[in-house]
Amino acid sequence: MSTAARHTDPIAELYTEHHGWLQGWLRGKLGLLPTAWLTQRQLERQGLFAEYRTAAGERRELQLADGTQLTLNTATAVDLRFEHDSRLILLRAGEILLTTGRDAPATQPLQVITRHGTASPLGTRFAVRQDDDQTRVTVFAGRVRIAPARADNAAYVLESGQQASFGEFAATPPQAADDNASAWARGMLLADNMPLGELAAELSRYRQGLIHCADDVADWRISGAFPVGDIAATERSLAMLAATHPLDVRQRLGGLWVSLSARR
């Protein structure tokens, strides 16, 4: 593959072809102003125009044409492109869980593409989460080949029970998989000695707005099983935290701003 090809955004390249009519319409409406173009690109990256989307606090299950089971976590956006010689899942934002189907021939390899690179399952059950700066792949069964978008020699295969993260230029070494990485598919967030600040950030993914954690409690270590999936579930999780720890949980702006601080 040429250097020029390696330095394109795989998501943007496929998206342009798949949704070219929509991009053309937007350009006609927005003109060529740089700010408008940047806004369009940002909306594309957030998955606003994706075929399948979930809102904050929503979870969705799909069965694809090849029998693959695809579960979308909160605030997730994907495009599907199944051709005669390939099956592509474009993860534009968020997190997915896949159990690959057995109905597709070997001539149609499955790939999950994020802005950081690709994950290619070899008959498996695995999860893919895309954050701003990296993509994390966790393998529960089978094997998955991961490949950073701009590093020809950085690809390798993850075995069952392993996970790794990668950006566009490099991948971390494999490590033991987090067994709780798919708990969200069952509507739970499992914390094992997790810093409260990290837990607050995770809970924020499942609701509109922000859960802010004060600096003096951000390092408190929390363990437990917390409901997630919609706003009502995260409300129960916040109530659990307040009931089991000396925390004040205060909400403003109709719940869009939630603050966690030490109880005085």
Side-chain angles (χ1 to χ4, degrees), residues 65-125:
D66 64 347
T68 293
Q69 299 289 331
L70 173 63
T71 306
L72 283 64
N73 199 4
T74 179
T76 294
V78 300
D79 283 315
L80 303 180
R81 182 177 173 182
F82 281 30
E83 305 287 353
H84 69 280
D85 59 351
S86 64
R87 293 169 294 152
L88 304 180
I89 299 175
L90 282 67
L91 177 58
R92 301 188 59 80
E95 184 174 17
I96 57 177
L97 176 67
L98 295 101
T99 302
T100 56
R102 302 179 180 273
D103 298 335
T107 54
Q108 289 180 293
L110 177 66
Q111 282 190 316
V112 177
I113 302 177
T114 76
R115 72 174 64 100
H116 307 113
T118 62
S120 306
L122 308 171
T124 188
R125 180 174 182 266

Side-chain angles (χ1 to χ4, degrees), residues 28-41:
K29 294 294 184 182
L30 298 177
L32 298 177
L33 293 176
T35 53
W37 182 83
L38 289 173
T39 299
Q40 174 198 342
R41 293 289 296 188

Side-chain angles (χ1 to χ4, degrees), residues 1-3 6-7 145 147-156 168-169:
M1 183 175 290
S2 68
T3 301
R6 296 293 297 182
H7 282 72
R145 181 181 184 271
R150 304 187 184 184
D152 290 321
N153 300 320
Y156 65 84
E168 293 182 67
F169 297 96

